[in-house]
Every structure is written in structure tokens, then in C-alpha cells.
Amino acid sequence: MAVLGTVAVEVFILVAALIGIAFAVLQWYVVARVAVISDAGGGAGGKGRGGGSGDVLEEDEEEEYGVDRLAVEARCAEIQQAISIGAMSFLLTEYKYLAVFMAAFAAVIFLFLGSARRFSARPEPCAYDPARGCRPALANAAFSAVAFLLGALTSVLSGYLGMRVATFANARTALEAHRGIDRAFAIAFRSGAAMGFLLASSALLVLYAAINLFGLYYGDDWGGLYESITDYGLGGSSVALFGRVGGGIYTKAADVGADLVGKVERNIPEDDPRNPAVIADNVGDNVGDIAGMGSDLFGSYAELLCAALFVASISSFGTEHNFAAMMYPLLVSAVGLLVCAVTTLVATDVSTVECTDEIGPILKRQILISTVLMTGGVAAVTFLALPARFTLFDFGNDKHVKNWHLFICVSAGLWAGLVIGYVTEYFTSNAYGPVRAVARSCRTGAATNVIFGLAVGYKSVIVSILAIAAAIYAGFRLAAMYGIALAALGMLSTIATGLAIDAYGPISDNAGGIAEMAGMPRRVRDRTDALDAAGNTTAAIGKGFAIGSAALVSLALFGAYESRAGIAAVDVLSPRVFVGLLAGAMLPYWFSAMTMRSVGSAALRMVEEVRRQFDAIPGLAEGLATPDYATCVRISTDASLRKMMAPGALVMLSPLVAGTLFGVETLAGLLAGALVSGVQVAISASNSGGAWDNAKKYIENGASEEARSLGPKGSEAHKAAVIGDTIGDPLKDTSGPSLNILIKLMAVESLVFAPFFAAHGGIIFNRL
């Protein structure tokens, strides 16, 4: 028997989630103590002079700023407010579209699942005991629709909170960079931690509350309860898809337009206030890399928890109603919050950044420390919550498992994530050979730069895929599909730390833009550039974690889909399956083509507008006139909202069309093909983009003799690097990260609609 009882499990999960929220509020409070001064004396979300930590710029620094010191501070507050208003406007408009989608798709869920049993209000035979009656199909359909809406709303909240944190922190990071690199790093990282803990804690708390509230109706019908709870993950990933795609199109349209005209054609610095697209570019960092990324990782987190819970519900945990064992995935997540809190304190209160070269190692240590501590935490909760021996469902067979087997499953995913993180860093950081080779290739122009960057992305797939394969084998060998779900959980068990270092990058990027536009000293921009360069690598690491966990959770959901759809085995030699396999392998390329083209067409409009303003506004190039920032913001907003619909529809409709028209076997092939193909494309796209980005920064920073020989800014090698970075932007920030949502969203959607497909699917193939 397990040591922990039901009450202890309930209390521990609840307390851990509340501690996570309290820790996020603490980080927010520390960041808020940095004042942002406005021309009215209290600024844009700041406390004014004398508030919090006092003056951001001390009186003994007044000589450097002269009479313009207060004007520079006021300008920072003004820019922060403009970025915040632009990001908020976009999100509110996007959420209006999504509100219609959420209501419509919730109705689809209710109609499809209800019609699978002809909207029966009679009790259904229980999965674990057919002689007993469980809740009717009509109730399951209704609760599934509610769970979908709950997941979607939590995903919306995740994106919104992330955006608010980022826009609150960007100017504060820029102002603290004036006082020292250590202060700027602490503010940026604390801000990322506030976002990470808010999202991870709220996801755990809402899911835990939903299980208990739904349980009031379902009682001991755990099969029906966790079937309906699965839609919580579907709702989260559905919103995340549109958030990632829409935000990615927004930010990359602005970024590409700003870079091509500003840096290549006009030879002006990045984030120069003369560039009309500069505000749109900084807004894009928040709506794409923060709000979209927050919704994305929330979706991954929610789906893997739902996948693990559903698979467990059809095992002995569910049939024996062992609550402590059933809640094992939530217990692991709760331990992860506590571990991440300790890990964060190491970065903010134990370690100090003395110089720019220490930023990357401190961030990298966060991943290592959290992995080591989490291994111990998983061991403790495994032996306290699980019985020594138990039985799991394994495709119709009983699989006898020991509790330490599950510890190995979680640990396999946890350490595979660490391997993926380090491999990603090696291929995307300019501290190592691959990115420096990409930078050297710029000597002979943009073409060789593109060739080298693609090669780096393709090569980076090898070790990451082997790490994922090892975690899959260990998980399946020890605990069947439940083991694979736990491996995915292990990979994202330290999600709070992952989100912190992921959000840190865009916050630092925004801080650099604000420093440039506000006219702060060059040394301030040098510090923010150093923060941003490290952030580019950590963002790539975050994408690697998301993609790897998506592969694992998709496979677990695939197994659950087979069980729920009544498929005994998937035979790839069957024509029905092979047709789906080929079509599924094609979908990531179709999806990538749509998103890349969307970015390209939006960027084309942005380039034309920026060129028009430079030609039409007298004195703009000389800094004597103010650009029309609002028009560029409107171009990105309109393009992203319009262009996100088609890729989203492709992902959402593919399982519905395949399952309804061609049947459950063809859909199984579709899911397998999309999984295998999508993971490879996503990793290579993300890492190629990261390599191009940091190759450009390697040349711009001139930190070594080799880098200085390739520069300075405006040199032919630098222009070639900018072109490579521009090509990589939609790959690493739009198509690549969106693909992980594609593979897991299709899997969870197929699982949700499996009863309908099993009852009514195969309209075409059943007649041929």
C-alpha cells in the first residue's frame, strides 16, 4: 500500500499550487519595486520617484545624461506604454475571434460525442465492470464540452498573463541595465519566473479543481470522468495553436520588414526609432514569443497531464479507485513547482552575474540543477504515492509493474530533456563551432550562409531524436503507454524553470529595443544585447523541450486513441493505414508552407510600407521626423488575424475529415505519419533559425578576433548574416514551434472524437 493517503495527496497538490502562485507574486513584487519614471512623475505601471527601490538612475549618474536624464526615463515609460497598448490591442482582437471558435467547437464536441450514442440519457456499461452502469453518453458529451471551454479559457489566461508580465518588465530591465548587468539580469529572470510559476501553478490548480468538481457528478465512474477531462488539454492546445500561429505571423512580419529595410537597405541600427516597423517588432516579441509561447507550453503541460490521467484511468489505478496512485502525475507536477522555486533562488539570490560571459552558464545551470533536484523529488513521491506492485492495461493484456519502474519512466523523460537542451544549445549558441561556422560562411554571401544554416538544423536532429527514442523505449518497456506519458511528464516537470528562461529572452530583447529608442548610452545597449544573445539560446532550448515532450505525449495519446477506438493493432501494410501514413507525413510540410507564406506576404506589405515612409516623410532618415508607427502595427495585426485561420483550420479539420470519411484505421496512420514527420521538421526548423540568429549576433557583438574580422555592422558579411536571420525568423518563431502543437493537437482531438469515429466513421472506405 502507498504511504500517502487521499487527504495527504489532496493537500499536497493544493498547497504546492498555491506556493507556486505566491512565489510568482513575490517575483512580480520585486520587479515592481523598480520604478519607471514618466513625464508626470509616476510612470506606466511604475511607482514614480521614491517608490520601490528609489530612483532608477542615481543622481551621481546625472553627468552622463545631463539635462536629458529625466527625458530619457520618460521616453522609456512612453515606449513601454506603446508596446503594452499594441500587444493588448492585438490580444483582445485575437481573443474575440477565438471566443467564436471556442463556442462553435464546444458545440461540435457535444454534437459529435452525443450522437455517437444517439444522445442516450441511459447509464452506459462501465469500462472496468460492464455489469455496472456508469454515467450516460449525453452527460459525457456535456462535460467534455465544458472541459474544452475550461482548457481554452485557461490557455487564454496564460497568454494574457504572460504578455502582461513581459510588458511590465521590459522598460525596467532596460533601466536596470544602466546600473549594471547583474541588476538587469535579475529583473529579466525574475519577470520570466513570475510568468513561469503563474502559468504552471494555475494549470495545475485549475485541472485539480476540475477533477474534483466533475467528480461530484461522476462519483466512482472514473472512466467517464477522465474521458471528459481529456478535453481540458484539447481546449488548451486549440487556443495555443492560433496563439502561436497568429503571434508568430505578427512578430515575424514586423521583424522581417524592419530588418530588410532598416539594417540591409538603410544601414541603421536594430530598433532605431527612425524605423517605422520598430514598435510593431517589439509588440510582436510579446504577442508571439511571450503570449503565444505561454499558451503553447500550457497546452503541452495540460495535454500530457490529461494523457497520463486518462491512460491511468483504464488501468488498475482506475478499476481499484486508488486515488493516491491515480494522482501520481499531478503529484510529480506539484513536486516540480517546489523544485523550480528552489532552482530560481539559486539564479536570483545565490549566483551573481559579474560579466556578460556568465549569463549563459547561469541559465544553463538552471536546467541542470532543476533536473538533478527533480530526480530526487520524483523518487520520493514515487515511493510514497504508489503501491509496490500494480497492474497496467497494455493493449488488452495485463502488465505487472513495480513502483520503481515509473520512477525510471519519469527520470528517462527528465534526463532526455536535459540532453535535448544541451544539444540545442550546442547547435544554436555562438559559443560553439556550428554557429561560428555559419558566421564564417557569411564571408562569401547569403547563399553559403543559408546552406550552412540548413545543414546545422538537419544535423541537430540526430541526437535529439535518439534521446526521444530512448525515453520512448524505456517508458514503453517498463510501463506501456502510461510509461510514455510519464516520460513526457518528466520532460516538462520543470516547466516553471523552462518558462522562466524562455520568457527571459523576449523580455531582454524588448529591453534592448527600448534602450535604443530612448537614446540610452551605448553601454546599456551592449548589456541588453548580451542578455538577448543568451536569451536566443534559451528560447531555442525551450522550443526543444516543447517539441520533445510533444512527441512523447502524442505517442501516449495515440495509444489511448487506439484503445478508445477499439483498434487491436495498426498494420502499416494495410492500404487504409498506409494512405493515412503518407497523408500524415505530408501535413507538417503543408502546414509549414502555409505559415511561411503567411509571414512572407505580411512581411512584403511591411517592407513596402517602411520603404514608402522613408521616401514620403521628409527628414525621417535624418531623424528629424517621427515615423507612422501605427500603420505598421495595423499591418501586422490585420495580417496575423487573417492568415492564422487557414493553418488552424488545416490542423483542426484533418482528424475530423480523416476519421469521418476514411475511418479509425486511416486516422491512426495519419497520426503516426504526422508525429514522425512533424518532430523532425520542427527540430530542424527551430535550430536552423536559432543558428542564423546567433551567427548574426556573433558578427554584431565582435567579441572575438574572428567576429571582428567579419564585421562591423553594415559589412557585406553582416548583411549576409541578416538575410540568413531573416529567413530563419519564420522557421524558428512561427512554423517550427507551431508544429509541436500540430502533432499533439491532432492526437488529442482524435482521442476525444474516437467514439464518434468508431460508431460512424469510414463513410468512403466502408463502401469501397
Side-chain angles (χ1 to χ4, degrees), residues 63-76:
E63 272 186 33
E64 183 175 353
Y65 277 82
V67 295
D68 292 326
R69 177 173 60 89
L70 291 178
V72 168
E73 296 172 357
R75 178 64 174 153
C76 285

Side-chain angles (χ1 to χ4, degrees), residues 66 87 109 156 162 167 209 230 233 266 348 358 390 418-419 498 505 515 522 552 588 590 618 670-671 724 765:
I109 290 173
V156 166
T167 55
T230 303
R266 293 285 174 169
T348 57
E358 295 179 357
F390 46 89
L418 182 68
V419 171
R522 182 64 220 173
L552 293 170
W590 189 1
L670 188 84
L671 297 179
F765 276 176

